[in-house]
Amino acid sequence: MILKSKHRYILAMSTLPIEAYSEPALLSQLLAFMGYVAYAFAHPSIIKAFSSNLFVIRCNRSYEKQVIAALAFVKELQGKPIGIYTLKTSGTLKSINGFASTITIKG
C-alpha cells in the first residue's frame, strides 16, 4: 500500500527579485540550516512564482515549521544580502493563490 504524502504550501516574499539568485542556491541554504536528514524528510521545492518577489515553497506537512525557520535564517544568497519572509502557509494551493492575488508590493 502506497501512502500519499501530505504537503504544505508556504507563500514567501524575498527582498531580492527571484531573477537575482538561483533556485538551487536557495535550496542549498535550506539544506545548510536544516541538515541532511530534516531536508530529506521535508523535501522542499519552489513550485510557483507570482511576481519577482513572491514565490511558493512546497514541503511535507510534518516539516513545515523547520522550513519556515530555515527561511528566516537565510541572510545572504550568492554574495547578495537577502531577507525572506513567510506570509502565509496553507494545505491547499488554491488558498495561497487567493491570498497572493490580494498582495501589492510597493517599491
Side-chain angles (χ1 to χ4, degrees), residues 72-90:
F73 281 115
V74 176
K75 299 297 178 197
E76 185 177 297
L77 279 178
Q78 297 174 332
K80 299 172 188 164
I82 188 172
I84 300 177
Y85 306 99
T86 302
L87 303 177
K88 181 176 176 69
T89 61
S90 178

Side-chain angles (χ1 to χ4, degrees), residues 9-26:
Y9 300 94
I10 302 168
L11 179 64
M13 181 179 71
S14 67
T15 56
L16 283 178
I18 294 173
E19 298 83 28
Y21 56 89
S22 64
E23 177 182 341
L26 177 60

Side-chain angles (χ1 to χ4, degrees), residues 24-96:
L26 177 60
L27 294 178
S28 69
Q29 285 290 319
L30 290 180
L31 172 64
F33 289 120
M34 293 176 70
Y36 288 107
V37 175
Y39 184 86
F41 282 122
H43 193 58
S45 61
I46 298 173
I47 59 167
K48 187 173 185 178
F50 288 103
S51 66
S52 64
N53 292 37
L54 283 176
F55 57 93
V56 177
I57 296 176
R58 181 180 70 192
C59 66
N60 284 338
R61 184 179 68 180
S62 303
Y63 291 87
E64 165 195 6
K65 292 185 182 189
Q66 285 94 335
V67 173
I68 292 171
L71 285 171
F73 281 115
V74 176
K75 299 297 178 197
E76 185 177 297
L77 279 178
Q78 297 174 332
K80 299 172 188 164
I82 188 172
I84 300 177
Y85 306 99
T86 302
L87 303 177
K88 181 176 176 69
T89 61
S90 178
T92 63
L93 202 51
K94 181 178 180 181
S95 174
I96 292 286

